[in-house]
Amino acid sequence: QSVLTQPPSASGTPGQRVTISCTGSSSNIASNYVYWYQQVPGTAPRLLILRNDERLSGVPDRFSGSKSGTSASLAISGLRSEDEAIYYCATRDDNLSDLVVFGGGTKLTVL
Amino acid sequence: VKLVESGGGQVKPGESLRLSCAASGFTFSTYDMSWVRQAPGKGLEWVSSISSGSHYIYYAGSVRGRFTISRDNANNVLHLQMNSLRADDTAVYYCARAGGDYPDFRSWGQGALVTVSS
């Protein structure tokens, strides 16, 4: 069971806006930056969002991140078929022995 | 940036395996490096990280005492020595280059599959 909680699935139609949540606690999300990764099955993860809301160079501005308290969100607007992937949030945890914790992942389906 | 893992394979429980990650296209000695794994059909799990000069080393609780991360800055190679392997260590192991703070993993290798089975 992951320290960071994500919904297992999300879906939307092309052009829609979808939001994926990531819920943690005061020892992780509330006190550290949140990062978002995209993984197409069978390939390595790709960093999309760093430090809560900064897009990595080359990432379309359709992707945006935000954080409030113990939760973070990834929003994808103008949904496209190529956005179908698994999305993971990640951060540090100040209490655990593990330096880095990942969410369980959210599988995004573009209908 | 190119990261290429090698050394994966199938071993029996209790056996050892050493993964390597050959880095190129950047100044390896100036970047922290990490290993992240993914069990079949499961999510990502951080395994271990090492600072650029090997002064700081971190392990996940699930592997501490069994795995050892190391690096050879002269030859641009990252290693993960895995001892006392268990069935739940079965996973694709990715090496990743840090971009700044953790968990900023900017670049990833293609992964190496480790299967632990009797």
Side-chain angles (χ1 to χ4, degrees):
Chain A
Q1 194 143 354
S2 303
V3 172
L4 305 179
T5 301
Q6 296 182 237
S9 63
S11 63
T13 57
Q16 269 191 331
R17 183 177 189 270
V18 171
T19 301
I20 296 171
S21 63
C22 175
T23 302
S25 68
S26 57
S27 67
N28 43 63
I29 289 181
S31 50
N32 293 285
Y33 287 124
V34 177
Y35 294 74
W36 288 93
Y37 291 86
Q38 176 194 60
Q39 186 181 33
V40 174
T43 69
R46 170 195 177 197
L47 179 61
L48 296 178
I49 302 291
L50 57 152
R51 292 190 284 264
N52 301 333
D53 56 12
E54 299 178 30
R55 271 186 306 278
L56 195 64
S57 176
V59 173
D61 59 6
R62 303 184 295 104
F63 292 86
S64 62
S66 63
K67 188 184 96 167
S68 178
T70 58
S71 294
S73 294
L74 174 70
I76 310 171
S77 60
L79 202 60
R80 303 178 66 160
S81 57
E82 58 259 39
D83 298 333
E84 186 160 294
I86 301 172
Y87 293 85
Y88 296 93
C89 58
T91 187
R92 297 181 65 154
D93 195 294
D94 298 333
N95 281 353
L96 299 177
S97 60
D98 289 8
L99 178 66
V100 172
V101 289
F102 284 94
T106 298
K107 180 171 171 51
L108 174 64
T109 301
V110 181
L111 302 169
Chain B
V1 175
K2 189 172 184 182
L3 301 169
V4 180
E5 299 93 340
S6 61
Q10 181 165 343
V11 296
K12 292 181 170 56
E15 294 186 341
S16 299
L17 206 58
R18 189 192 199 203
L19 299 181
S20 297
C21 172
S24 60
F26 65 101
T27 306
F28 180 73
S29 61
T30 64
Y31 286 89
D32 290 9
M33 297 294 295
S34 298
W35 291 97
V36 176
R37 69 184 180 182
Q38 186 169 36
K42 302 297 184 183
L44 302 173
E45 180 187 15
W46 170 77
V47 174
S48 181
S49 296
I50 185 169
S51 63
S52 57
S54 302
H55 299 298
Y56 299 98
I57 289 176
Y58 309 92
Y59 296 103
S62 59
V63 307
R64 189 173 294 117
R66 300 186 299 122
F67 290 11
T68 302
I69 191 172
S70 63
R71 63 190 297 160
D72 178 354
N73 284 347
N75 292 297
N76 298 339
V77 182
L78 175 71
H79 299 291
L80 185 68
Q81 177 67 41
M82 303 183 292
N83 299 332
S84 303
L85 282 162
R86 310 185 305 221
D88 61 0
D89 293 318
T90 295
V92 173
Y93 286 73
Y94 295 100
C95 72
R97 190 194 83 172
D101 192 13
Y102 293 101
D104 181 345
F105 303 132
R106 297 286 175 105
S107 301
W108 298 65
Q110 84 288 351
L113 177 62
V114 172
T115 302
V116 184
S117 174
S118 54

